[in-house]
Amino acid sequence: MIADRAVALLPFTPRTAGPAALGELPEPAALVVHRGPLLTTLVNLFEDIWNEALPVRVCADAARRDAADGLPAGPDALDLEVLSLLMGGLTDASVAKQLGLGLRTVQRRVKRLMELAGVTTRLQLGWHAAAHGWTAVRRPQG
């Protein structure tokens, strides 16, 4: 995590703590990085990865495929737009504002998506959406 290009926090996990830590569960630990060459390198690494990142977009074709396969009706276009914004990290209130919907409408649509997916948490919904073709990564044209 990098905050304001002024400080970074690097957590140590068994995978990053080296082979000696693989057999034991260490106490949570992290390295705090202040301004300097290491922080500059971390910021540059983040920027490079961010510039190569692709937006996650929902796939309206998935709903049509489900209907064509005789499966229960899948998410509609608005459901998929709500899902796309949620997977982008927006809150329910932000999704409602961006789409010009009421907060309760967004919450009902999320509940419907969870029911369609047969899941009980939003994390499970994201996993289900990705695993069942409700999402598609689209490369920018250019």
Side-chain angles (χ1 to χ4, degrees):
M1 175 176 62
I2 301 172
D4 296 330
R5 296 176 180 255
V7 66
L9 184 66
L10 298 174
F12 289 119
T13 64
R15 279 184 34 206
T16 61
L22 291 177
E24 58 191 53
L25 292 175
E27 290 290 321
L31 174 67
V32 177
V33 181
H34 295 280
R35 292 186 193 268
L38 180 56
L39 180 64
T40 301
T41 301
L42 290 170
V43 169
N44 289 338
L45 175 63
F46 173 84
E47 293 294 337
D48 288 345
I49 291 171
W50 183 263
N51 288 331
E52 295 295 318
L54 300 173
V56 174
R57 298 284 184 237
V58 293
C59 180
D61 293 338
R64 287 191 289 276
R65 275 198 315 271
D66 287 349
D69 292 339
L71 299 174
D76 63 23
L78 185 56
D79 287 336
L80 294 176
E81 187 66 24
V82 167
L83 181 60
S84 178
L85 294 171
L86 289 174
M87 290 179 74
L90 274 68
T91 63
D92 288 358
S94 296
V95 170
K97 185 174 182 179
Q98 184 155 337
L99 296 178
L101 301 172
L103 177 59
R104 284 292 302 138
T105 300
V106 170
Q107 292 169 337
R108 277 193 306 272
R109 290 209 170 247
V110 172
K111 182 180 178 191
R112 177 177 182 270
L113 285 165
M114 291 172 70
E115 289 170 354
L116 285 170
V119 299
T120 56
T121 69
R122 289 172 182 236
L123 182 62
Q124 292 170 326
L125 175 60
W127 180 87
H128 179 90
H132 290 86
W134 290 3
T135 63
V137 174
R138 295 185 186 143
R139 292 207 174 266
Q141 299 294 329

mmCIF file of all heavy atoms in Angstrom, residues 9-18 21 24-33 38:
data_model
loop_
_atom_site.group_PDB
_atom_site.id
_atom_site.type_symbol
_atom_site.label_atom_id
_atom_site.label_comp_id
_atom_site.label_asym_id
_atom_site.label_seq_id
_atom_site.Cartn_x
_atom_site.Cartn_y
_atom_site.Cartn_z
ATOM 1 N N LEU A 9 3.587 0.674 2.850
ATOM 2 C CA LEU A 9 3.523 -0.405 3.823
ATOM 3 C C LEU A 9 3.595 -1.718 3.056
ATOM 4 O O LEU A 9 2.746 -1.996 2.210
ATOM 5 C CB LEU A 9 2.206 -0.327 4.613
ATOM 6 C CG LEU A 9 2.033 -1.332 5.736
ATOM 7 C CD1 LEU A 9 3.056 -1.068 6.835
ATOM 8 C CD2 LEU A 9 0.623 -1.232 6.299
ATOM 9 N N LEU A 10 4.632 -2.502 3.333
ATOM 10 C CA LEU A 10 4.830 -3.787 2.657
ATOM 11 C C LEU A 10 4.625 -4.904 3.666
ATOM 12 O O LEU A 10 5.443 -5.091 4.569
ATOM 13 C CB LEU A 10 6.245 -3.889 2.081
ATOM 14 C CG LEU A 10 6.621 -2.869 1.032
ATOM 15 C CD1 LEU A 10 8.091 -3.004 0.666
ATOM 16 C CD2 LEU A 10 5.758 -3.054 -0.196
ATOM 17 N N PRO A 11 3.532 -5.656 3.559
ATOM 18 C CA PRO A 11 3.311 -6.745 4.515
ATOM 19 C C PRO A 11 4.250 -7.921 4.241
ATOM 20 O O PRO A 11 4.593 -8.194 3.096
ATOM 21 C CB PRO A 11 1.850 -7.140 4.270
ATOM 22 C CG PRO A 11 1.609 -6.743 2.849
ATOM 23 C CD PRO A 11 2.464 -5.535 2.589
ATOM 24 N N PHE A 12 4.673 -8.572 5.293
ATOM 25 C CA PHE A 12 5.447 -9.802 5.168
ATOM 26 C C PHE A 12 4.502 -10.965 5.369
ATOM 27 O O PHE A 12 3.743 -11.015 6.334
ATOM 28 C CB PHE A 12 6.569 -9.868 6.211
ATOM 29 C CG PHE A 12 7.684 -8.906 5.963
ATOM 30 C CD1 PHE A 12 7.988 -7.934 6.889
ATOM 31 C CD2 PHE A 12 8.430 -8.981 4.795
ATOM 32 C CE1 PHE A 12 9.025 -7.043 6.658
ATOM 33 C CE2 PHE A 12 9.462 -8.096 4.553
ATOM 34 C CZ PHE A 12 9.764 -7.126 5.491
ATOM 35 N N THR A 13 4.527 -11.895 4.453
ATOM 36 C CA THR A 13 3.718 -13.103 4.544
ATOM 37 C C THR A 13 4.658 -14.290 4.446
ATOM 38 O O THR A 13 5.824 -14.133 4.072
ATOM 39 C CB THR A 13 2.684 -13.166 3.403
ATOM 40 O OG1 THR A 13 3.397 -13.262 2.165
ATOM 41 C CG2 THR A 13 1.784 -11.946 3.389
ATOM 42 N N PRO A 14 4.184 -15.504 4.736
ATOM 43 C CA PRO A 14 5.061 -16.666 4.586
ATOM 44 C C PRO A 14 5.679 -16.762 3.189
ATOM 45 O O PRO A 14 6.803 -17.179 3.044
ATOM 46 C CB PRO A 14 4.148 -17.851 4.872
ATOM 47 C CG PRO A 14 3.121 -17.299 5.800
ATOM 48 C CD PRO A 14 2.907 -15.871 5.330
ATOM 49 N N ARG A 15 4.947 -16.303 2.165
ATOM 50 C CA ARG A 15 5.499 -16.367 0.801
ATOM 51 C C ARG A 15 6.612 -15.363 0.613
ATOM 52 O O ARG A 15 7.521 -15.584 -0.166
ATOM 53 C CB ARG A 15 4.405 -16.105 -0.225
ATOM 54 C CG ARG A 15 3.565 -17.319 -0.495
ATOM 55 C CD ARG A 15 2.537 -17.109 -1.576
ATOM 56 N NE ARG A 15 2.978 -16.218 -2.625
ATOM 57 C CZ ARG A 15 2.161 -15.506 -3.387
ATOM 58 N NH1 ARG A 15 0.864 -15.589 -3.195
ATOM 59 N NH2 ARG A 15 2.615 -14.730 -4.330
ATOM 60 N N THR A 16 6.552 -14.213 1.297
ATOM 61 C CA THR A 16 7.567 -13.185 1.091
ATOM 62 C C THR A 16 8.627 -13.180 2.179
ATOM 63 O O THR A 16 9.620 -12.491 2.054
ATOM 64 C CB THR A 16 6.927 -11.779 1.020
ATOM 65 O OG1 THR A 16 6.264 -11.515 2.247
ATOM 66 C CG2 THR A 16 5.975 -11.663 -0.143
ATOM 67 N N ALA A 17 8.429 -13.940 3.244
ATOM 68 C CA ALA A 17 9.371 -13.917 4.352
ATOM 69 C C ALA A 17 10.524 -14.887 4.168
ATOM 70 O O ALA A 17 11.408 -14.953 4.993
ATOM 71 C CB ALA A 17 8.633 -14.216 5.659
ATOM 72 N N GLY A 18 10.519 -15.668 3.114
ATOM 73 C CA GLY A 18 11.627 -16.572 2.853
ATOM 74 C C GLY A 18 11.301 -17.998 3.241
ATOM 75 O O GLY A 18 10.302 -18.279 3.891
ATOM 76 N N ALA A 21 10.266 -19.341 6.900
ATOM 77 C CA ALA A 21 8.937 -19.069 7.462
ATOM 78 C C ALA A 21 7.859 -19.983 6.908
ATOM 79 O O ALA A 21 6.733 -19.943 7.371
ATOM 80 C CB ALA A 21 8.563 -17.617 7.194
ATOM 81 N N GLU A 24 6.113 -22.320 9.522
ATOM 82 C CA GLU A 24 5.489 -21.720 10.694
ATOM 83 C C GLU A 24 4.617 -20.545 10.272
ATOM 84 O O GLU A 24 4.785 -19.978 9.207
ATOM 85 C CB GLU A 24 6.564 -21.253 11.664
ATOM 86 C CG GLU A 24 7.523 -20.256 11.044
ATOM 87 C CD GLU A 24 8.733 -19.987 11.916
ATOM 88 O OE1 GLU A 24 9.391 -20.950 12.314
ATOM 89 O OE2 GLU A 24 8.978 -18.797 12.182
ATOM 90 N N LEU A 25 3.680 -20.200 11.128
ATOM 91 C CA LEU A 25 2.837 -19.040 10.872
ATOM 92 C C LEU A 25 3.378 -17.883 11.696
ATOM 93 O O LEU A 25 3.178 -17.823 12.903
ATOM 94 C CB LEU A 25 1.385 -19.329 11.247
ATOM 95 C CG LEU A 25 0.667 -20.345 10.377
ATOM 96 C CD1 LEU A 25 -0.721 -20.635 10.928
ATOM 97 C CD2 LEU A 25 0.579 -19.849 8.955
ATOM 98 N N PRO A 26 4.086 -16.963 11.059
ATOM 99 C CA PRO A 26 4.687 -15.862 11.810
ATOM 100 C C PRO A 26 3.638 -14.853 12.256
ATOM 101 O O PRO A 26 2.540 -14.801 11.736
ATOM 102 C CB PRO A 26 5.639 -15.240 10.799
ATOM 103 C CG PRO A 26 5.017 -15.529 9.475
ATOM 104 C CD PRO A 26 4.349 -16.880 9.634
ATOM 105 N N GLU A 27 4.033 -14.046 13.232
ATOM 106 C CA GLU A 27 3.194 -12.930 13.646
ATOM 107 C C GLU A 27 3.068 -11.974 12.470
ATOM 108 O O GLU A 27 4.010 -11.839 11.685
ATOM 109 C CB GLU A 27 3.832 -12.210 14.837
ATOM 110 C CG GLU A 27 3.820 -13.006 16.112
ATOM 111 C CD GLU A 27 2.417 -13.136 16.686
ATOM 112 O OE1 GLU A 27 1.647 -12.154 16.629
ATOM 113 O OE2 GLU A 27 2.086 -14.216 17.169
ATOM 114 N N PRO A 28 1.937 -11.296 12.340
ATOM 115 C CA PRO A 28 1.822 -10.316 11.258
ATOM 116 C C PRO A 28 2.931 -9.266 11.379
ATOM 117 O O PRO A 28 3.219 -8.781 12.469
ATOM 118 C CB PRO A 28 0.455 -9.681 11.479
ATOM 119 C CG PRO A 28 -0.297 -10.668 12.313
ATOM 120 C CD PRO A 28 0.725 -11.379 13.132
ATOM 121 N N ALA A 29 3.540 -8.964 10.252
ATOM 122 C CA ALA A 29 4.625 -7.985 10.244
ATOM 123 C C ALA A 29 4.593 -7.229 8.929
ATOM 124 O O ALA A 29 4.090 -7.728 7.929
ATOM 125 C CB ALA A 29 5.972 -8.680 10.425
ATOM 126 N N ALA A 30 5.143 -6.032 8.950
ATOM 127 C CA ALA A 30 5.186 -5.211 7.742
ATOM 128 C C ALA A 30 6.387 -4.284 7.820
ATOM 129 O O ALA A 30 6.892 -3.974 8.901
ATOM 130 C CB ALA A 30 3.901 -4.410 7.594
ATOM 131 N N LEU A 31 6.812 -3.857 6.657
ATOM 132 C CA LEU A 31 7.895 -2.903 6.548
ATOM 133 C C LEU A 31 7.293 -1.561 6.160
ATOM 134 O O LEU A 31 6.533 -1.471 5.188
ATOM 135 C CB LEU A 31 8.891 -3.354 5.467
ATOM 136 C CG LEU A 31 10.024 -2.387 5.135
ATOM 137 C CD1 LEU A 31 10.967 -2.249 6.331
ATOM 138 C CD2 LEU A 31 10.777 -2.881 3.913
ATOM 139 N N VAL A 32 7.610 -0.514 6.918
ATOM 140 C CA VAL A 32 7.176 0.841 6.594
ATOM 141 C C VAL A 32 8.312 1.496 5.820
ATOM 142 O O VAL A 32 9.446 1.534 6.287
ATOM 143 C CB VAL A 32 6.840 1.651 7.862
ATOM 144 C CG1 VAL A 32 6.450 3.083 7.496
ATOM 145 C CG2 VAL A 32 5.736 0.978 8.652
ATOM 146 N N VAL A 33 7.984 1.995 4.620
ATOM 147 C CA VAL A 33 8.984 2.613 3.753
ATOM 148 C C VAL A 33 8.681 4.102 3.632
ATOM 149 O O VAL A 33 7.597 4.480 3.196
ATOM 150 C CB VAL A 33 8.982 1.952 2.349
ATOM 151 C CG1 VAL A 33 10.039 2.583 1.461
ATOM 152 C CG2 VAL A 33 9.177 0.448 2.453
ATOM 153 N N LEU A 38 13.861 3.472 -2.313
ATOM 154 C CA LEU A 38 12.977 2.301 -2.298
ATOM 155 C C LEU A 38 11.530 2.717 -2.541
ATOM 156 O O LEU A 38 10.815 2.088 -3.337
ATOM 157 C CB LEU A 38 13.101 1.532 -0.980
ATOM 158 C CG LEU A 38 12.218 0.289 -0.851
ATOM 159 C CD1 LEU A 38 12.465 -0.697 -2.002
ATOM 160 C CD2 LEU A 38 12.450 -0.384 0.487
#
